[in-house]
Amino acid sequence: MEHQQTINSGGVAEADEKLMKVQSAITQFRMIKGALIPVLHEVQDIYGYLPEHVLHLVSAELNLPMSEIYGVASFYHFFSLTPKGENVVHVCLGTACYIKGAQAVLDRLSTELNVSVEGTTEDNKFTLEATRCLGACGLAPVMTIGEKVHGRLVPGNIPKILNEYK
Ligand code: FES
């Protein structure tokens, strides 16, 4: 199987443990209507994204075609089909933030990290994403890195903030 081609023996145990967690989520939710979304949430919590080989397992276990699973996974923006970096940077491009210069902040992040929006740095440390209102408009322009909110940003702040995560 795809996931076993690239992992060493330590990784196999970890991979098996993750698959067991997926299996237990499937068992937990399979009887409820709309089991797919909670199962995909669990998969994303376990792996940080939705790996293809796991989606094949979900497809077989829930008896759903892959096309339906991909349809749901791509419809909801909180699901990701690609691995993300250790720190996900969400830059708000909602109205309040945009008016206060969020685009310049996003551009500076893109330059500093050398990635475009939706991209992940080569060292896998950061994924850069743009998002809608984060509900902290009073601090505009705002970004989050992981759970932490950074507000009243100016592009010049960005290198120092990123350094905290390197
Ligand atoms: S518009 Fe950015 S936090 Fe609301």
Side-chain angles (χ1 to χ4, degrees), residues 89-91 109 134 141-145 148-150 153 158 161:
V89 183
H90 283 114
V91 180
L109 279 159
L134 290 164
V142 174
M143 71 174 176
T144 56
I145 302 185
K148 187 161 179 196
V149 177
H150 298 271
L153 296 167
I158 298 304
I161 293 173

Side-chain angles (χ1 to χ4, degrees), residues 3-4 7 11-21 47:
H3 72 286
Q4 289 176 330
I7 48 187
V12 170
E14 194 189 329
D16 285 348
E17 195 182 313
K18 287 181 172 179
L19 278 177
M20 278 167 58
K21 285 187 187 166
Y47 291 88

Side-chain angles (χ1 to χ4, degrees), residues 94-133:
T95 309
C97 289
Y98 195 81
I99 289 170
K100 295 213 167 181
Q103 186 63 53
V105 169
L106 181 61
D107 292 345
R108 182 63 183 263
L109 279 159
S110 180
T111 303
E112 293 292 329
L113 296 173
N114 198 24
V115 290
S116 44
V117 177
E118 304 297 328
T120 296
T121 54
E122 267 183 22
D123 62 3
N124 228 25
K125 277 259 174 196
F126 296 95
T127 295
L128 179 60
E129 297 191 343
T131 184
R132 293 182 195 166
C133 179

Side-chain angles (χ1 to χ4, degrees), residues 6-162:
T6 55
I7 48 187
N8 58 27
S9 55
V12 170
E14 194 189 329
D16 285 348
E17 195 182 313
K18 287 181 172 179
L19 278 177
M20 278 167 58
K21 285 187 187 166
V22 172
Q23 194 65 58
S24 113
I26 291 169
T27 307
Q28 181 185 353
F29 294 114
R30 75 183 332 145
M31 299 312 284
I32 66 165
K33 198 163 174 256
L36 179 58
I37 288 183
V39 168
L40 292 183
H41 269 296
E42 290 289 329
V43 173
Q44 182 141 314
D45 278 353
I46 294 164
Y47 291 88
Y49 74 111
L50 305 177
E52 187 181 351
H53 72 273
V54 181
L55 296 186
H56 280 289
L57 172 72
V58 171
S59 165
E61 292 285 335
L62 294 182
N63 201 19
L64 293 170
M66 284 298 281
S67 56
E68 184 174 338
I69 294 176
Y70 276 122
V72 169
S74 354
F75 181 78
Y76 294 101
H77 97 284
F78 45 79
F79 290 133
S80 173
L81 292 164
T82 51
K84 298 208 177 192
E86 217 174 285
N87 302 288
V88 180
V89 183
H90 283 114
V91 180
C92 176
L93 289 184
T95 309
C97 289
Y98 195 81
I99 289 170
K100 295 213 167 181
Q103 186 63 53
V105 169
L106 181 61
D107 292 345
R108 182 63 183 263
L109 279 159
S110 180
T111 303
E112 293 292 329
L113 296 173
N114 198 24
V115 290
S116 44
V117 177
E118 304 297 328
T120 296
T121 54
E122 267 183 22
D123 62 3
N124 228 25
K125 277 259 174 196
F126 296 95
T127 295
L128 179 60
E129 297 191 343
T131 184
R132 293 182 195 166
C133 179
L134 290 164
C137 311
L139 296 174
V142 174
M143 71 174 176
T144 56
I145 302 185
E147 301 291 311
K148 187 161 179 196
V149 177
H150 298 271
R152 302 203 173 91
L153 296 167
V154 292
N157 297 147
I158 298 304
K160 185 166 178 276
I161 293 173
L162 291 178

